[in-house]
Amino acid sequence: MPLYEIETNAHILITWAEDEAQAKIVVNDNYPNDDVIRLTKRPRNSWVISKAALGLTDQRVDPCLVARDCLSKAEGDKVHAIRLYMNETGVDLDKARKAIESNMVLGW
């Protein structure tokens, strides 16, 4: 069963559902006053929050691992992977582009 990330006007939900319609039903059943703003099928069957991205660790994150993870999440879409990388690391567009493109060459 796919994992969905659902953003409403008041919450962010992570839930398993058969399809998008069922995911919306989960929201309506649990938060009937919320409006769905964004509904995304996750590329993997688990949800991970990076402690480094939240600033909860002193360890440095390997930029190649982050770039490969972003490419995987973006299913190979370079532009989307660049946006994800910028969001994940906080770097500017040029640095994100270089990180993603260099990892695309490596065959991520």
Side-chain angles (χ1 to χ4, degrees):
M1 190 177 314
L3 186 66
Y4 286 90
E5 173 185 350
I6 309 158
E7 181 181 356
T8 71
N9 54 317
H11 299 93
I12 296 176
L13 294 88
I14 310 301
T15 189
W16 279 279
E18 291 294 330
D19 55 26
E20 288 187 11
Q22 290 296 319
K24 287 180 182 178
I25 289 172
V26 170
V27 174
N28 290 332
D29 288 349
N30 294 291
Y31 301 97
N33 297 324
D34 284 13
D35 297 319
V36 174
I37 297 170
R38 182 177 52 86
L39 187 128
T40 306
K41 182 178 175 184
R42 302 297 300 169
R44 299 185 179 135
N45 63 357
S46 60
W47 179 257
V48 177
I49 299 173
S50 167
K51 290 176 96 176
L54 296 175
L56 300 176
T57 181
D58 292 332
Q59 295 176 332
R60 296 201 41 123
V61 176
D62 180 3
C64 289
L65 292 177
V66 175
R68 290 184 197 123
D69 188 49
C70 290
L71 280 161
S72 178
K73 289 177 186 174
E75 298 177 351
D77 180 342
K78 181 174 103 172
V79 174
H80 185 56
I82 290 170
R83 287 185 189 123
L84 289 172
Y85 189 85
M86 289 171 61
N87 189 41
E88 187 80 23
T89 62
V91 300
D92 64 15
L93 177 62
D94 189 52
K95 289 180 183 176
R97 181 188 57 77
K98 287 177 183 176
I100 294 298
E101 287 178 348
S102 64
N103 279 279
M104 287 181 82
V105 171
L106 297 174
W108 61 278

